[in-house]
Amino acid sequence: MTSLQESPTAAGSGANASENFKAAAANQDLADTPPERVAAIVTAVLKGVHTAIEEYDVTYPEFQAAKAWLMAVGEGGEWPLFMDVFVEHAVEAQVARSQHGTKGSILGPYFLPDQVRLPARAGLPRRADEQGTPLALSGQVRDVNGTPLAGAEVDIWHADADGYYSGFAPHVPDGNLRGIFVTDDEGRFEISTIQPAPYQIPHDGPTGQLIEASGWHPWRPAHLHIQVRAEGHRPVTTQIYFAGGEYLESDVAEATKPELVIDPQDDGTGVRRSTYDFELESD
Ligand SMILES: [Fe+2]
């Protein structure tokens, strides 16, 4: 990494994530949750807070520090970051209980819609001098009965070899290492890209202060984000991890699953290859 690079700040990433989230939420038909359900969930959340206060004999200075921190998270636009890192994995696990096929994982704050559509076998858009070990991921998209799904979309986005995402890090061009592969007649695809690096979630803002104050670390293991979509089928949002990767056992976002780990091998030409098949259930 050169010193000329402008690293993404928590505030910058947070602002981007907030804007993207608001844009996506505007298009969502939000569920009309009945008041009894709202009351039950909020009561349960508050009960958890009250229990922690009792259990740890929380003081007024600690209560005021918590209020100041909550305000700072909002002012810094870090709620999408905080929620996706510390809460989303529990929602994902809950929803996954009723989903068959490929295991899911969290979407995270770095998804961007409407990326370039690519044929079944292609290179992910990247800089001419993109650093990193070449990586090829091939596989097949099927339904849960094993029928190949032609024309399925394999939407992939991942960090570069320094751990930065396009659309969030100012020095990375828009659309870099993002694309949508459309499967062939046999539901197959082959993605040529580079090996991403582990990265630290933005930690120069209030989320980082919390991580430091708690003695935690802000690292995520290296991963590929993938969302697979096919008409008439429930989409799968997941992440693919790498065997032996750093932080695999201590992901700050708690989003790893053993079923989602691949072990690419050098094919003798310097390209690390692996396969991964995806299974989607019907709507
Ligand atoms: Fe990520």
Side-chain angles (χ1 to χ4, degrees), residues 51-65:
T51 301
I53 291 167
E54 286 169 20
E55 194 172 338
Y56 293 97
D57 200 12
V58 169
T59 65
Y60 256 101
E62 287 168 339
F63 173 57
Q64 304 297 16

Side-chain angles (χ1 to χ4, degrees), residues 26-50:
N27 294 326
Q28 282 175 8
D29 185 16
L30 295 175
D32 189 10
T33 307
E36 304 77 36
R37 181 170 166 80
V38 175
I41 294 170
V42 174
T43 300
V45 171
L46 290 174
K47 192 175 169 192
V49 174
H50 301 158

Side-chain angles (χ1 to χ4, degrees), residues 31-260:
D32 189 10
T33 307
E36 304 77 36
R37 181 170 166 80
V38 175
I41 294 170
V42 174
T43 300
V45 171
L46 290 174
K47 192 175 169 192
V49 174
H50 301 158
T51 301
I53 291 167
E54 286 169 20
E55 194 172 338
Y56 293 97
D57 200 12
V58 169
T59 65
Y60 256 101
E62 287 168 339
F63 173 57
Q64 304 297 16
K67 278 161 66 178
W69 179 81
L70 288 162
M71 289 163 66
V73 174
E75 287 163 3
E78 284 195 34
W79 279 119
L81 173 70
F82 180 86
M83 294 295 280
D84 291 355
V85 169
F86 291 105
V87 181
E88 188 188 351
H89 68 86
V91 179
E92 194 284 322
Q94 192 65 25
V95 172
R97 293 175 62 175
S98 68
Q99 184 153 14
H100 304 285
T102 300
K103 290 278 181 198
S105 186
I106 63 172
L107 178 70
Y110 298 136
F111 172 73
L112 293 174
D114 305 322
Q115 299 301 305
V116 64
R117 282 172 70 87
L118 300 161
R121 288 166 187 76
L124 203 55
R126 53 196 187 275
R127 293 162 285 195
D129 61 346
E130 192 74 46
Q131 302 296 302
T133 305
L135 175 73
L137 180 71
S138 57
Q140 188 181 37
V141 181
R142 302 184 290 259
D143 69 13
V144 290
N145 299 315
T147 306
L149 296 174
E153 294 182 338
V154 181
D155 194 340
I156 178 167
W157 67 103
H158 68 81
D160 68 11
D162 289 325
Y164 293 120
Y165 282 89
S166 61
F168 296 88
H171 67 278
V172 182
D174 282 353
N176 205 63
L177 300 174
R178 296 177 181 272
I180 302 170
F181 294 78
V182 180
T183 60
D184 68 12
D185 290 347
E186 294 179 336
R188 296 188 183 280
F189 63 89
E190 182 171 333
I191 297 163
S192 299
T193 184
I194 55 101
Q195 171 83 32
Y199 62 82
Q200 303 179 73
I201 64 161
H203 57 101
D204 61 328
T207 302
Q209 286 167 1
L210 174 74
I211 289 170
E212 192 179 343
S214 303
W216 301 335
H217 74 69
W219 287 91
R220 294 220 60 216
H223 55 274
L224 308 171
H225 290 270
I226 298 182
Q227 186 177 71
V228 184
R229 305 179 290 261
E231 210 173 313
H233 294 78
R234 192 169 163 180
V236 167
T237 300
T238 194
Q239 299 184 28
I240 301 293
Y241 302 91
F242 300 92
E246 261 188 303
Y247 310 109
L248 203 52
E249 308 302 327
S250 63
D251 178 11
V252 66
E254 296 183 51
T256 64
K257 296 181 184 180
E259 299 89 342
L260 300 177

